[in-house]
């Protein structure tokens, strides 16, 4: 069975919720670069390096080795994607807290039940 890097990357990107959070990744990086959002540099560096490694033709285990050649790419993605998603989740919470809610925690209409 032959595996291509692009096929493996597609499989890894099927991680729950990853595709929906891609726009948030770009917003997070933009907010971080502008100084509005604080995060460790390594929290974005490791996932970026993982993506470069997976797309790069240079590997620790060459891809022409059946099945085993793809395992190093999968291992790198299995490490990087959850790390990135964890940081994006923290960013989304921060982003929500930054929004101006005109009436936070106010009851508009209620009914008393006895």
């Amino acid at each position: 069975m032959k595996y291509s890097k692009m096929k493996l990357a597609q499989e890894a990107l099927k991680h729950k919720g990853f595709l929906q959070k891609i726009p948030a990744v770009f917003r997070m990086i933009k907010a971080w670069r502008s100084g509005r959002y604080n995060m460790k540099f390594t929290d974005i560096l490791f996932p970026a390096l993982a993506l470069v490694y997976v797309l790069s033709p240079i590997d620790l285990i060459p891809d022409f080795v059946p099945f085993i050649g793809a395992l190093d790419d999968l291992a790198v993605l299995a490490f990087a994607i959850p790390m990135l998603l964890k940081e994006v989740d923290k960013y989304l919470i921060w982003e929500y807290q930054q929004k101006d809610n005109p009436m936070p925690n106010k009851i508009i209409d209620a009914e008393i039940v006895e």
Side-chain angles (χ1 to χ4, degrees):
M1 179 179 265
K2 184 169 174 117
Y3 290 94
S4 73
K5 281 190 172 190
M6 291 307 291
K7 182 74 172 170
L8 290 172
Q10 288 173 348
E11 289 298 318
L13 294 178
K14 287 183 181 177
H15 194 283
K16 183 179 178 184
F18 181 77
L19 292 178
Q20 291 84 9
K21 293 182 181 178
I22 289 175
V25 171
F26 290 109
R27 289 195 316 269
M28 177 181 71
I29 293 170
K30 186 176 178 182
W32 172 68
R33 290 191 69 202
S34 70
R36 293 181 293 127
Y37 179 68
N38 294 326
M39 70 177 179
K40 292 185 235 172
F41 180 65
T42 55
D43 289 341
I44 198 68
L45 178 67
F46 290 146
L49 288 176
L51 181 63
V52 169
Y53 178 79
V54 168
L55 296 177
S56 168
I58 301 169
D59 280 339
L60 292 176
I61 303 171
D63 289 334
F64 62 80
V65 177
F67 187 67
I68 297 172
L71 285 179
D72 64 332
D73 293 335
L74 285 175
V76 169
L77 286 175
F79 170 74
I81 289 176
M83 177 186 269
L84 181 62
L85 288 178
K86 180 180 169 187
E87 189 60 39
V88 169
D89 288 340
K90 287 193 274 184
Y91 170 75
L92 290 173
I93 292 169
W94 174 85
E95 185 180 50
Y96 179 76
Q97 291 171 345
Q98 299 304 310
K99 289 184 180 179
D100 291 329
N101 281 334
M103 292 189 266
N105 300 326
K106 292 195 178 184
I107 298 173
I108 305 288
D109 188 16
E111 178 181 334
I112 298 174
V113 179
E114 291 186 30

